Amino acid sequence: MAELTQIPKTEELKNEYEIVEEMKNLLGSDLLEYKVPRVNRVWITVPNGKHYKAAEHLYKKMGVWFISTVTGLDLKDHFEVLFHLLDMQRKVEITIRVPVSKDKPELESLTDFYPGANLYEREVYDMFGIVFKGHPNLKRLLLAETFPEGEHPLRKDWTPDKWDPKKVPLIQRKPILPEETSDYVLQVGPQTPTLKEPMNFEVIVDGEIVVDVIPHIEYNHRGLEKAFEQRTFIQGIYMAERVCGICSQAHTLPYCDAVEQLLGVQVPPRGKYIRTMVTEFNRIHSHLLWIGVACHLIGWDTMFMYSWRDREVILDLTDLVCGSRVTAAINTIGGVRRDITDEQIYKIRKGMDILEKRTKTYKKIVLEEDTLLKRAVGVGYLNPSYLKAMSAVGPVIRGSGVKTDVRYDDPHFGAYDEIPFNVCTSDMCDVAGRLVVRVDELIESINIIRYILDHLPSGEVRVKVPRKVPPGEAVSHNEAPRGEVFYYIKSNGTDKPERVKVITPTMANLLPIIESCKGHYIADFVLNFGSIDPCIACMCRTTFIDISKSKPKKWVWTDEEMRRYGIEWYQNRGWRR
Amino acid sequence: MVRKLGAMEPELLKNLTKKRATVLYPFEKIELPEAYRGLWSFDINKCTGCGLCAKDCPSGAIELKPTERTKAGRYPINYVSRCMFCSQCQEVCPTGAIKMTPVYELSDYRKKIIDAEAPEGYRYEE
Ligand code: SF4
Ligand code: SF4
């Protein structure tokens, strides 16, 4: 048993070592190695097959119910699969590392204990071709279903020129309904007036009631994780910023934190506080945006306009502090790029006063106005124990009364260990609950910003760091406005990362929210799906199902057929190209 | 929760007398902060030609061109259409030759290239 401990056992690390001791007792010589690189982190390595036993123990005996993600790694001679579990009681992020041989890339799935690992394992299968035995539905997730068999783009020996896009057959999704049925498939997305997210759902409806929902998120996969490997760590910051347009700051924070862990540098306190402040700016603008969108989804555009007008306040402040309205670009490896001046502090305080007043008004309206409550109360009920099983994150799980928040469970990525704040929850378990949580979080964020301005330490805002990052690996996460954002970074001693793994909250919330749509009206589907604040990018072709005939007639169109139809349609009406 | 219709009413009435929130762009313009990350400006007299800006640019918007006016014999030009205004180049430049300015009206029918040696400070891609 190799001990890779970098920090000796101290009183501060007693939770970390408690887990290590449990694992030692359970696995004996099967615990190949372990390390505790810093507070809140435990890494254990077990042989293939024993991870199931370890996870079973963690889940059943130690109450670890949350899985952050599953990472795949290609190490030339073998694969590695990392299961990242978060122990919320002990505040420890546990990583179980399992080496998998290349000849027989198979291991047992952990979906028995962590059903929430479903999509993550599918992603690893998709990108690396590692088979998870016992997985309920192992097929491609991010790449198209028709992507050639045996091609897995994140394997190191895979190059894009091995792959000929012309050879990939166009997607011909099979009709999902049996021939004789009264059910109807409704295509929601990628271009629906109400749901602007480019994602496609096949909603199977019986009358007006949703029977089942099949999500398709595989189109237009951007390949960011591969792109990270081809850029330097510094360029990676701006890539991370563009993973999501709205959570820009929320992504750079864990990215920079993970690289700083690898470099072993500490951000100066003032830098940490400024980072945290901009993260809260980010949360405020995202939540205000969401309140607007939610109201827009139910057709209440007055409220949409009001909340977006007030969002300008926070965007202007971001502009003032960071130099741009949405992409803050304030984090850099080793600290922040800009200091704040007294004049800016004065302006931020004034902005916070306006926002506080406005947020209180919203809270009143949200809790009282029937226009909203009629559409939100009782819609999209999600059972807290189901959400816990599915490892849901963010306002979705807090809206069902489960008190989890990465800022609270693992506060070291920012200054959250020094700042007092409440984790807002609601026990309504429905869309209204998620709404209330977000409005409460707005007030909480304003308080955090005020606290930061009152207690802003003096001194430097950044430290100089070398370009080359020593070999190693680190994980970091952040509570983005939508939930947990998770980064795993492995470096190999050069100025480029070997592997960057990103996981975003929409993935964690996708399956639970789909479950909650079943049995509700079609009209509620969009609001319900919108209540997770979805953030995806994709594209699709069209399916038409004609049920007016006695025997339903189905035909599937490809992009090309669709385009031809469009041209003919216009020509028939006298349009010329 | 108290359900009632019209919790919004006082808010609506209040907003009747408020100024409009939008500005009549392009006739009115909002003032941007000094440190806004807008159009690139470049001072060839300060540049040493070290090439760090081109090395760190995440979107490959900077190209080094030969010149006799800098020490290392090259200077950067910026393809504005490719730049994403992250200001990493400004930060890494050891001599402060690059500055981002609060100029944001950059739409053009042709692709603009900021080039200190061009007569107007910029030229268009052919
Ligand atoms: S601002 Fe960013 S993208 Fe634009 S030239 Fe500079 S480094 Fe490149
Ligand atoms: S980093 Fe500055 S000094 Fe170096 S080439 Fe670029 S502009 Fe010139």
PDB file of all heavy atoms in Angstrom, chain A residues 235 238 309 319 322-323 327-328 337-338 358 361 368-369 462 467, chain B residues 1-2 4 7-8 11 15 35-37 55-57 86-88 91:
ATOM      1  N   GLN A 235      -4.448  30.104 -21.886  1.00  0.00           N
ATOM      2  CA  GLN A 235      -5.519  30.174 -22.877  1.00  0.00           C
ATOM      3  C   GLN A 235      -6.753  29.428 -22.400  1.00  0.00           C
ATOM      4  O   GLN A 235      -7.874  29.793 -22.743  1.00  0.00           O
ATOM      5  CB  GLN A 235      -5.031  29.587 -24.200  1.00  0.00           C
ATOM      6  CG  GLN A 235      -3.978  30.463 -24.859  1.00  0.00           C
ATOM      7  CD  GLN A 235      -3.354  29.801 -26.059  1.00  0.00           C
ATOM      8  OE1 GLN A 235      -3.349  28.575 -26.166  1.00  0.00           O
ATOM      9  NE2 GLN A 235      -2.810  30.604 -26.951  1.00  0.00           N
ATOM     10  N   TYR A 238      -9.726  31.329 -20.761  1.00  0.00           N
ATOM     11  CA  TYR A 238     -10.738  31.970 -21.608  1.00  0.00           C
ATOM     12  C   TYR A 238     -11.627  30.942 -22.273  1.00  0.00           C
ATOM     13  O   TYR A 238     -12.767  31.239 -22.629  1.00  0.00           O
ATOM     14  CB  TYR A 238     -10.044  32.903 -22.610  1.00  0.00           C
ATOM     15  CG  TYR A 238      -9.164  33.877 -21.871  1.00  0.00           C
ATOM     16  CD1 TYR A 238      -7.791  33.713 -21.801  1.00  0.00           C
ATOM     17  CD2 TYR A 238      -9.740  34.909 -21.143  1.00  0.00           C
ATOM     18  CE1 TYR A 238      -7.007  34.559 -21.060  1.00  0.00           C
ATOM     19  CE2 TYR A 238      -8.955  35.757 -20.392  1.00  0.00           C
ATOM     20  CZ  TYR A 238      -7.593  35.582 -20.350  1.00  0.00           C
ATOM     21  OH  TYR A 238      -6.836  36.409 -19.592  1.00  0.00           O
ATOM     22  N   ARG A 309     -34.687  44.602 -16.774  1.00  0.00           N
ATOM     23  CA  ARG A 309     -34.262  45.988 -16.601  1.00  0.00           C
ATOM     24  C   ARG A 309     -33.367  46.093 -15.364  1.00  0.00           C
ATOM     25  O   ARG A 309     -32.311  46.728 -15.393  1.00  0.00           O
ATOM     26  CB  ARG A 309     -35.490  46.891 -16.430  1.00  0.00           C
ATOM     27  CG  ARG A 309     -35.128  48.333 -16.188  1.00  0.00           C
ATOM     28  CD  ARG A 309     -36.327  49.110 -15.705  1.00  0.00           C
ATOM     29  NE  ARG A 309     -36.793  48.600 -14.413  1.00  0.00           N
ATOM     30  CZ  ARG A 309     -37.969  48.865 -13.887  1.00  0.00           C
ATOM     31  NH1 ARG A 309     -38.838  49.602 -14.546  1.00  0.00           N
ATOM     32  NH2 ARG A 309     -38.314  48.384 -12.716  1.00  0.00           N
ATOM     33  N   ASP A 319     -19.364  45.319 -15.569  1.00  0.00           N
ATOM     34  CA  ASP A 319     -18.654  46.106 -16.566  1.00  0.00           C
ATOM     35  C   ASP A 319     -17.624  47.016 -15.901  1.00  0.00           C
ATOM     36  O   ASP A 319     -16.470  47.115 -16.321  1.00  0.00           O
ATOM     37  CB  ASP A 319     -19.716  46.934 -17.306  1.00  0.00           C
ATOM     38  CG  ASP A 319     -19.203  47.456 -18.618  1.00  0.00           C
ATOM     39  OD1 ASP A 319     -18.027  47.244 -18.889  1.00  0.00           O
ATOM     40  OD2 ASP A 319     -19.979  48.068 -19.349  1.00  0.00           O
ATOM     41  N   CYS A 322     -14.902  44.620 -14.098  1.00  0.00           N
ATOM     42  CA  CYS A 322     -14.149  43.652 -14.898  1.00  0.00           C
ATOM     43  C   CYS A 322     -13.850  44.127 -16.307  1.00  0.00           C
ATOM     44  O   CYS A 322     -12.993  43.556 -16.965  1.00  0.00           O
ATOM     45  CB  CYS A 322     -14.929  42.349 -14.996  1.00  0.00           C
ATOM     46  SG  CYS A 322     -15.512  41.766 -13.443  1.00  0.00           S
ATOM     47  N   GLY A 323     -14.586  45.109 -16.820  1.00  0.00           N
ATOM     48  CA  GLY A 323     -14.304  45.583 -18.163  1.00  0.00           C
ATOM     49  C   GLY A 323     -15.178  44.974 -19.233  1.00  0.00           C
ATOM     50  O   GLY A 323     -14.971  45.224 -20.411  1.00  0.00           O
ATOM     51  N   THR A 327     -18.772  38.414 -19.898  1.00  0.00           N
ATOM     52  CA  THR A 327     -17.544  37.644 -19.701  1.00  0.00           C
ATOM     53  C   THR A 327     -16.603  38.459 -18.825  1.00  0.00           C
ATOM     54  O   THR A 327     -15.903  39.340 -19.299  1.00  0.00           O
ATOM     55  CB  THR A 327     -16.862  37.344 -21.039  1.00  0.00           C
ATOM     56  OG1 THR A 327     -16.916  38.526 -21.818  1.00  0.00           O
ATOM     57  CG2 THR A 327     -17.515  36.225 -21.763  1.00  0.00           C
ATOM     58  N   ALA A 328     -16.615  38.124 -17.546  1.00  0.00           N
ATOM     59  CA  ALA A 328     -15.888  38.947 -16.582  1.00  0.00           C
ATOM     60  C   ALA A 328     -14.384  38.898 -16.815  1.00  0.00           C
ATOM     61  O   ALA A 328     -13.710  39.917 -16.760  1.00  0.00           O
ATOM     62  CB  ALA A 328     -16.211  38.473 -15.171  1.00  0.00           C
ATOM     63  N   ARG A 337      -7.114  39.752 -12.062  1.00  0.00           N
ATOM     64  CA  ARG A 337      -6.360  40.640 -12.945  1.00  0.00           C
ATOM     65  C   ARG A 337      -6.520  42.108 -12.602  1.00  0.00           C
ATOM     66  O   ARG A 337      -5.714  42.926 -12.997  1.00  0.00           O
ATOM     67  CB  ARG A 337      -6.789  40.399 -14.389  1.00  0.00           C
ATOM     68  CG  ARG A 337      -6.321  39.076 -14.878  1.00  0.00           C
ATOM     69  CD  ARG A 337      -7.007  38.636 -16.131  1.00  0.00           C
ATOM     70  NE  ARG A 337      -7.112  39.688 -17.113  1.00  0.00           N
ATOM     71  CZ  ARG A 337      -7.612  39.534 -18.324  1.00  0.00           C
ATOM     72  NH1 ARG A 337      -8.042  38.379 -18.689  1.00  0.00           N
ATOM     73  NH2 ARG A 337      -7.706  40.528 -19.158  1.00  0.00           N
ATOM     74  N   ARG A 338      -7.610  42.445 -11.931  1.00  0.00           N
ATOM     75  CA  ARG A 338      -7.833  43.856 -11.635  1.00  0.00           C
ATOM     76  C   ARG A 338      -8.160  44.040 -10.163  1.00  0.00           C
ATOM     77  O   ARG A 338      -8.879  43.236  -9.583  1.00  0.00           O
ATOM     78  CB  ARG A 338      -9.011  44.389 -12.447  1.00  0.00           C
ATOM     79  CG  ARG A 338      -8.748  44.369 -13.904  1.00  0.00           C
ATOM     80  CD  ARG A 338      -9.898  44.967 -14.632  1.00  0.00           C
ATOM     81  NE  ARG A 338      -9.620  44.966 -16.059  1.00  0.00           N
ATOM     82  CZ  ARG A 338     -10.303  45.639 -16.947  1.00  0.00           C
ATOM     83  NH1 ARG A 338     -11.310  46.385 -16.542  1.00  0.00           N
ATOM     84  NH2 ARG A 338     -10.004  45.591 -18.215  1.00  0.00           N
ATOM     85  N   ARG A 358     -35.260  46.054  -5.059  1.00  0.00           N
ATOM     86  CA  ARG A 358     -35.973  45.390  -6.148  1.00  0.00           C
ATOM     87  C   ARG A 358     -36.224  43.917  -5.809  1.00  0.00           C
ATOM     88  O   ARG A 358     -37.303  43.390  -6.050  1.00  0.00           O
ATOM     89  CB  ARG A 358     -35.158  45.467  -7.444  1.00  0.00           C
ATOM     90  CG  ARG A 358     -34.900  46.857  -7.940  1.00  0.00           C
ATOM     91  CD  ARG A 358     -36.164  47.594  -8.254  1.00  0.00           C
ATOM     92  NE  ARG A 358     -37.015  46.811  -9.121  1.00  0.00           N
ATOM     93  CZ  ARG A 358     -38.312  47.028  -9.263  1.00  0.00           C
ATOM     94  NH1 ARG A 358     -38.901  47.978  -8.590  1.00  0.00           N
ATOM     95  NH2 ARG A 358     -39.016  46.284 -10.072  1.00  0.00           N
ATOM     96  N   THR A 361     -39.094  43.488  -3.594  1.00  0.00           N
ATOM     97  CA  THR A 361     -40.353  43.620  -4.339  1.00  0.00           C
ATOM     98  C   THR A 361     -40.668  42.314  -5.064  1.00  0.00           C
ATOM     99  O   THR A 361     -41.802  41.834  -5.036  1.00  0.00           O
ATOM    100  CB  THR A 361     -40.234  44.749  -5.379  1.00  0.00           C
ATOM    101  OG1 THR A 361     -39.578  45.848  -4.787  1.00  0.00           O
ATOM    102  CG2 THR A 361     -41.580  45.151  -5.917  1.00  0.00           C
ATOM    103  N   GLU A 368     -47.011  36.240  -3.853  1.00  0.00           N
ATOM    104  CA  GLU A 368     -48.417  36.607  -3.756  1.00  0.00           C
ATOM    105  C   GLU A 368     -49.173  36.582  -5.074  1.00  0.00           C
ATOM    106  O   GLU A 368     -50.364  36.341  -5.095  1.00  0.00           O
ATOM    107  CB  GLU A 368     -48.540  38.013  -3.141  1.00  0.00           C
ATOM    108  CG  GLU A 368     -48.149  38.029  -1.676  1.00  0.00           C
ATOM    109  CD  GLU A 368     -48.371  39.393  -1.057  1.00  0.00           C
ATOM    110  OE1 GLU A 368     -48.825  40.299  -1.769  1.00  0.00           O
ATOM    111  OE2 GLU A 368     -48.072  39.530   0.140  1.00  0.00           O
ATOM    112  N   GLU A 369     -48.481  36.873  -6.151  1.00  0.00           N
ATOM    113  CA  GLU A 369     -49.197  37.092  -7.406  1.00  0.00           C
ATOM    114  C   GLU A 369     -49.758  35.783  -7.960  1.00  0.00           C
ATOM    115  O   GLU A 369     -49.020  34.838  -8.211  1.00  0.00           O
ATOM    116  CB  GLU A 369     -48.250  37.753  -8.404  1.00  0.00           C
ATOM    117  CG  GLU A 369     -48.813  37.962  -9.781  1.00  0.00           C
ATOM    118  CD  GLU A 369     -49.948  38.971  -9.831  1.00  0.00           C
ATOM    119  OE1 GLU A 369     -49.819  40.042  -9.222  1.00  0.00           O
ATOM    120  OE2 GLU A 369     -50.955  38.680 -10.489  1.00  0.00           O
ATOM    121  N   ARG A 462      -2.752  39.356  -6.721  1.00  0.00           N
ATOM    122  CA  ARG A 462      -2.319  38.146  -7.437  1.00  0.00           C
ATOM    123  C   ARG A 462      -0.865  37.840  -7.135  1.00  0.00           C
ATOM    124  O   ARG A 462      -0.120  38.706  -6.702  1.00  0.00           O
ATOM    125  CB  ARG A 462      -2.527  38.297  -8.938  1.00  0.00           C
ATOM    126  CG  ARG A 462      -1.662  39.367  -9.567  1.00  0.00           C
ATOM    127  CD  ARG A 462      -1.942  39.516 -11.029  1.00  0.00           C
ATOM    128  NE  ARG A 462      -1.488  38.349 -11.787  1.00  0.00           N
ATOM    129  CZ  ARG A 462      -1.572  38.301 -13.123  1.00  0.00           C
ATOM    130  NH1 ARG A 462      -2.106  39.289 -13.792  1.00  0.00           N
ATOM    131  NH2 ARG A 462      -1.134  37.246 -13.755  1.00  0.00           N
ATOM    132  N   ARG A 467       4.758  29.448 -16.054  1.00  0.00           N
ATOM    133  CA  ARG A 467       3.892  28.974 -17.127  1.00  0.00           C
ATOM    134  C   ARG A 467       3.738  27.466 -17.092  1.00  0.00           C
ATOM    135  O   ARG A 467       2.690  26.928 -17.434  1.00  0.00           O
ATOM    136  CB  ARG A 467       4.487  29.362 -18.472  1.00  0.00           C
ATOM    137  CG  ARG A 467       4.098  30.741 -18.879  1.00  0.00           C
ATOM    138  CD  ARG A 467       4.910  31.245 -20.028  1.00  0.00           C
ATOM    139  NE  ARG A 467       4.527  32.614 -20.265  1.00  0.00           N
ATOM    140  CZ  ARG A 467       3.551  32.969 -21.087  1.00  0.00           C
ATOM    141  NH1 ARG A 467       2.908  32.060 -21.781  1.00  0.00           N
ATOM    142  NH2 ARG A 467       3.216  34.228 -21.222  1.00  0.00           N
TER     143      ARG A 467
ATOM    144  N   MET B   1     -48.499  30.842   1.739  1.00  0.00           N
ATOM    145  CA  MET B   1     -48.523  31.823   0.643  1.00  0.00           C
ATOM    146  C   MET B   1     -49.904  32.424   0.467  1.00  0.00           C
ATOM    147  O   MET B   1     -50.890  31.714   0.424  1.00  0.00           O
ATOM    148  CB  MET B   1     -48.130  31.122  -0.653  1.00  0.00           C
ATOM    149  CG  MET B   1     -46.658  30.970  -0.787  1.00  0.00           C
ATOM    150  SD  MET B   1     -46.296  30.430  -2.443  1.00  0.00           S
ATOM    151  CE  MET B   1     -44.570  30.111  -2.251  1.00  0.00           C
ATOM    152  N   VAL B   2     -49.946  33.712   0.394  1.00  0.00           N
ATOM    153  CA  VAL B   2     -51.228  34.386   0.170  1.00  0.00           C
ATOM    154  C   VAL B   2     -51.420  34.496  -1.328  1.00  0.00           C
ATOM    155  O   VAL B   2     -50.608  35.089  -2.008  1.00  0.00           O
ATOM    156  CB  VAL B   2     -51.208  35.827   0.723  1.00  0.00           C
ATOM    157  CG1 VAL B   2     -52.471  36.125   1.466  1.00  0.00           C
ATOM    158  CG2 VAL B   2     -49.950  36.093   1.519  1.00  0.00           C
ATOM    159  N   LYS B   4     -53.225  36.213  -4.194  1.00  0.00           N
ATOM    160  CA  LYS B   4     -54.183  37.241  -4.577  1.00  0.00           C
ATOM    161  C   LYS B   4     -53.808  37.807  -5.925  1.00  0.00           C
ATOM    162  O   LYS B   4     -52.632  37.832  -6.302  1.00  0.00           O
ATOM    163  CB  LYS B   4     -54.270  38.324  -3.517  1.00  0.00           C
ATOM    164  CG  LYS B   4     -52.996  39.113  -3.314  1.00  0.00           C
ATOM    165  CD  LYS B   4     -53.241  40.218  -2.311  1.00  0.00           C
ATOM    166  CE  LYS B   4     -52.073  41.170  -2.296  1.00  0.00           C
ATOM    167  NZ  LYS B   4     -51.874  41.840  -1.038  1.00  0.00           N
ATOM    168  N   ALA B   7     -50.969  41.620  -6.892  1.00  0.00           N
ATOM    169  CA  ALA B   7     -49.789  41.983  -6.112  1.00  0.00           C
ATOM    170  C   ALA B   7     -48.862  42.835  -6.963  1.00  0.00           C
ATOM    171  O   ALA B   7     -47.998  43.542  -6.471  1.00  0.00           O
ATOM    172  CB  ALA B   7     -49.069  40.731  -5.638  1.00  0.00           C
ATOM    173  N   MET B   8     -49.061  42.760  -8.240  1.00  0.00           N
ATOM    174  CA  MET B   8     -48.207  43.456  -9.194  1.00  0.00           C
ATOM    175  C   MET B   8     -48.669  44.891  -9.387  1.00  0.00           C
ATOM    176  O   MET B   8     -47.908  45.738  -9.833  1.00  0.00           O
ATOM    177  CB  MET B   8     -48.296  42.676 -10.506  1.00  0.00           C
ATOM    178  CG  MET B   8     -47.336  43.075 -11.560  1.00  0.00           C
ATOM    179  SD  MET B   8     -45.693  42.467 -11.231  1.00  0.00           S
ATOM    180  CE  MET B   8     -44.903  42.964 -12.754  1.00  0.00           C
ATOM    181  N   GLU B  11     -46.692  47.998  -8.316  1.00  0.00           N
ATOM    182  CA  GLU B  11     -45.463  48.033  -9.099  1.00  0.00           C
ATOM    183  C   GLU B  11     -45.734  48.636 -10.482  1.00  0.00           C
ATOM    184  O   GLU B  11     -44.985  49.481 -10.966  1.00  0.00           O
ATOM    185  CB  GLU B  11     -44.969  46.589  -9.224  1.00  0.00           C
ATOM    186  CG  GLU B  11     -43.600  46.391  -9.771  1.00  0.00           C
ATOM    187  CD  GLU B  11     -42.535  47.148  -9.015  1.00  0.00           C
ATOM    188  OE1 GLU B  11     -42.688  47.320  -7.789  1.00  0.00           O
ATOM    189  OE2 GLU B  11     -41.568  47.584  -9.665  1.00  0.00           O
ATOM    190  N   ASN B  15     -44.351  52.272 -12.062  1.00  0.00           N
ATOM    191  CA  ASN B  15     -43.548  52.340 -13.276  1.00  0.00           C
ATOM    192  C   ASN B  15     -44.132  53.258 -14.333  1.00  0.00           C
ATOM    193  O   ASN B  15     -43.458  53.584 -15.300  1.00  0.00           O
ATOM    194  CB  ASN B  15     -43.358  50.936 -13.844  1.00  0.00           C
ATOM    195  CG  ASN B  15     -42.240  50.215 -13.144  1.00  0.00           C
ATOM    196  OD1 ASN B  15     -41.087  50.607 -13.255  1.00  0.00           O
ATOM    197  ND2 ASN B  15     -42.574  49.202 -12.373  1.00  0.00           N
ATOM    198  N   ALA B  35     -11.955  51.379 -18.213  1.00  0.00           N
ATOM    199  CA  ALA B  35     -11.235  50.111 -18.352  1.00  0.00           C
ATOM    200  C   ALA B  35     -11.998  49.105 -19.201  1.00  0.00           C
ATOM    201  O   ALA B  35     -11.717  47.921 -19.141  1.00  0.00           O
ATOM    202  CB  ALA B  35     -10.964  49.530 -16.978  1.00  0.00           C
ATOM    203  N   TYR B  36     -12.961  49.544 -19.971  1.00  0.00           N
ATOM    204  CA  TYR B  36     -13.729  48.621 -20.809  1.00  0.00           C
ATOM    205  C   TYR B  36     -12.809  47.927 -21.803  1.00  0.00           C
ATOM    206  O   TYR B  36     -11.896  48.531 -22.339  1.00  0.00           O
ATOM    207  CB  TYR B  36     -14.816  49.392 -21.554  1.00  0.00           C
ATOM    208  CG  TYR B  36     -15.769  48.502 -22.287  1.00  0.00           C
ATOM    209  CD1 TYR B  36     -16.779  47.852 -21.599  1.00  0.00           C
ATOM    210  CD2 TYR B  36     -15.646  48.284 -23.646  1.00  0.00           C
ATOM    211  CE1 TYR B  36     -17.645  47.011 -22.257  1.00  0.00           C
ATOM    212  CE2 TYR B  36     -16.504  47.441 -24.315  1.00  0.00           C
ATOM    213  CZ  TYR B  36     -17.502  46.809 -23.615  1.00  0.00           C
ATOM    214  OH  TYR B  36     -18.351  45.962 -24.267  1.00  0.00           O
ATOM    215  N   ARG B  37     -13.081  46.643 -22.040  1.00  0.00           N
ATOM    216  CA  ARG B  37     -12.244  45.910 -22.984  1.00  0.00           C
ATOM    217  C   ARG B  37     -12.866  45.966 -24.368  1.00  0.00           C
ATOM    218  O   ARG B  37     -13.670  45.122 -24.733  1.00  0.00           O
ATOM    219  CB  ARG B  37     -12.090  44.464 -22.536  1.00  0.00           C
ATOM    220  CG  ARG B  37     -11.520  44.303 -21.140  1.00  0.00           C
ATOM    221  CD  ARG B  37     -11.062  42.891 -20.898  1.00  0.00           C
ATOM    222  NE  ARG B  37     -12.081  41.920 -21.228  1.00  0.00           N
ATOM    223  CZ  ARG B  37     -12.934  41.426 -20.345  1.00  0.00           C
ATOM    224  NH1 ARG B  37     -12.899  41.789 -19.102  1.00  0.00           N
ATOM    225  NH2 ARG B  37     -13.825  40.541 -20.721  1.00  0.00           N
ATOM    226  N   LYS B  55       1.693  34.660 -28.472  1.00  0.00           N
ATOM    227  CA  LYS B  55       1.791  33.322 -27.889  1.00  0.00           C
ATOM    228  C   LYS B  55       0.596  33.024 -26.978  1.00  0.00           C
ATOM    229  O   LYS B  55       0.101  31.903 -26.937  1.00  0.00           O
ATOM    230  CB  LYS B  55       3.081  33.246 -27.081  1.00  0.00           C
ATOM    231  CG  LYS B  55       3.371  31.871 -26.550  1.00  0.00           C
ATOM    232  CD  LYS B  55       4.794  31.755 -26.043  1.00  0.00           C
ATOM    233  CE  LYS B  55       5.039  30.383 -25.498  1.00  0.00           C
ATOM    234  NZ  LYS B  55       5.193  30.330 -24.065  1.00  0.00           N
ATOM    235  N   ASP B  56       0.145  34.035 -26.255  1.00  0.00           N
ATOM    236  CA  ASP B  56      -0.906  33.815 -25.273  1.00  0.00           C
ATOM    237  C   ASP B  56      -2.313  34.053 -25.799  1.00  0.00           C
ATOM    238  O   ASP B  56      -3.274  33.727 -25.115  1.00  0.00           O
ATOM    239  CB  ASP B  56      -0.675  34.722 -24.056  1.00  0.00           C
ATOM    240  CG  ASP B  56       0.154  34.018 -23.003  1.00  0.00           C
ATOM    241  OD1 ASP B  56       0.498  32.857 -23.246  1.00  0.00           O
ATOM    242  OD2 ASP B  56       0.433  34.618 -21.962  1.00  0.00           O
ATOM    243  N   CYS B  57      -2.427  34.633 -26.964  1.00  0.00           N
ATOM    244  CA  CYS B  57      -3.779  34.959 -27.443  1.00  0.00           C
ATOM    245  C   CYS B  57      -4.600  33.684 -27.604  1.00  0.00           C
ATOM    246  O   CYS B  57      -4.219  32.791 -28.351  1.00  0.00           O
ATOM    247  CB  CYS B  57      -3.695  35.690 -28.769  1.00  0.00           C
ATOM    248  SG  CYS B  57      -5.307  35.982 -29.465  1.00  0.00           S
ATOM    249  N   CYS B  86     -10.482  39.610 -24.664  1.00  0.00           N
ATOM    250  CA  CYS B  86     -10.218  39.100 -23.325  1.00  0.00           C
ATOM    251  C   CYS B  86      -9.137  39.913 -22.632  1.00  0.00           C
ATOM    252  O   CYS B  86      -8.986  39.853 -21.426  1.00  0.00           O
ATOM    253  CB  CYS B  86      -9.781  37.642 -23.410  1.00  0.00           C
ATOM    254  SG  CYS B  86      -8.243  37.424 -24.286  1.00  0.00           S
ATOM    255  N   SER B  87      -8.360  40.648 -23.406  1.00  0.00           N
ATOM    256  CA  SER B  87      -7.282  41.513 -22.916  1.00  0.00           C
ATOM    257  C   SER B  87      -6.133  40.743 -22.266  1.00  0.00           C
ATOM    258  O   SER B  87      -5.370  41.309 -21.494  1.00  0.00           O
ATOM    259  CB  SER B  87      -7.806  42.642 -22.028  1.00  0.00           C
ATOM    260  OG  SER B  87      -7.671  42.385 -20.681  1.00  0.00           O
ATOM    261  N   GLN B  88      -5.992  39.488 -22.612  1.00  0.00           N
ATOM    262  CA  GLN B  88      -4.824  38.730 -22.154  1.00  0.00           C
ATOM    263  C   GLN B  88      -3.554  39.336 -22.751  1.00  0.00           C
ATOM    264  O   GLN B  88      -2.514  39.399 -22.098  1.00  0.00           O
ATOM    265  CB  GLN B  88      -4.970  37.263 -22.558  1.00  0.00           C
ATOM    266  CG  GLN B  88      -3.775  36.376 -22.248  1.00  0.00           C
ATOM    267  CD  GLN B  88      -3.480  36.264 -20.772  1.00  0.00           C
ATOM    268  OE1 GLN B  88      -4.378  36.319 -19.950  1.00  0.00           O
ATOM    269  NE2 GLN B  88      -2.213  36.135 -20.419  1.00  0.00           N
ATOM    270  N   GLU B  91      -2.433  42.242 -20.809  1.00  0.00           N
ATOM    271  CA  GLU B  91      -1.886  41.874 -19.517  1.00  0.00           C
ATOM    272  C   GLU B  91      -0.470  41.320 -19.630  1.00  0.00           C
ATOM    273  O   GLU B  91       0.377  41.571 -18.782  1.00  0.00           O
ATOM    274  CB  GLU B  91      -2.809  40.830 -18.917  1.00  0.00           C
ATOM    275  CG  GLU B  91      -2.485  40.522 -17.496  1.00  0.00           C
ATOM    276  CD  GLU B  91      -3.246  39.304 -17.070  1.00  0.00           C
ATOM    277  OE1 GLU B  91      -4.463  39.289 -17.267  1.00  0.00           O
ATOM    278  OE2 GLU B  91      -2.620  38.380 -16.557  1.00  0.00           O
TER     279      GLU B  91
END
